[in-house]
Amino acid sequence: MRVRLEVPCSVVLGDRRVRATIGNLSQEGALIRTQERLSLIQRVRIAIEDGPEIAAKVRWRRDDDYGVSFEDSFQFAELAALAFDLQRKAVRAGP
């Protein structure tokens, strides 16, 4: 199951943070969008404002879209809670 989102985040690359957006989220991975060029199999951390930092690895790329797999997958209840929290924050932030 994938949850569609449009949530800002940061991709942590060592000591640098670059802007990105989470486009969708599943128990095992996510689609992120960033203008930063990432390499296949590169390890990254996805930082969500007021939320967890998630360790992941880049699995594919197409233009500015990247598919990442999480190092530790989420249980379904954890994914549901995270998606709910992210969507609630996005609604509060507004357009």
Side-chain angles (χ1 to χ4, degrees), residues 7-55:
V7 177
C9 67
S10 297
V11 176
V12 182
L13 308 167
D15 59 349
R16 286 188 320 125
R17 286 180 177 260
V18 297
R19 295 175 71 146
T21 301
I22 298 172
N24 69 45
L25 186 65
S26 74
Q27 287 176 269
E28 298 174 353
L31 170 94
I32 59 172
R33 293 184 182 97
T34 181
Q35 292 184 355
E36 181 75 17
R37 184 74 169 167
L38 304 176
S39 300
L40 294 177
I41 310 177
Q42 181 176 358
R43 290 180 185 245
V44 298
R45 297 188 70 77
I46 300 168
I48 302 166
E49 184 179 336
D50 298 328
E53 214 172 84
I54 305 165

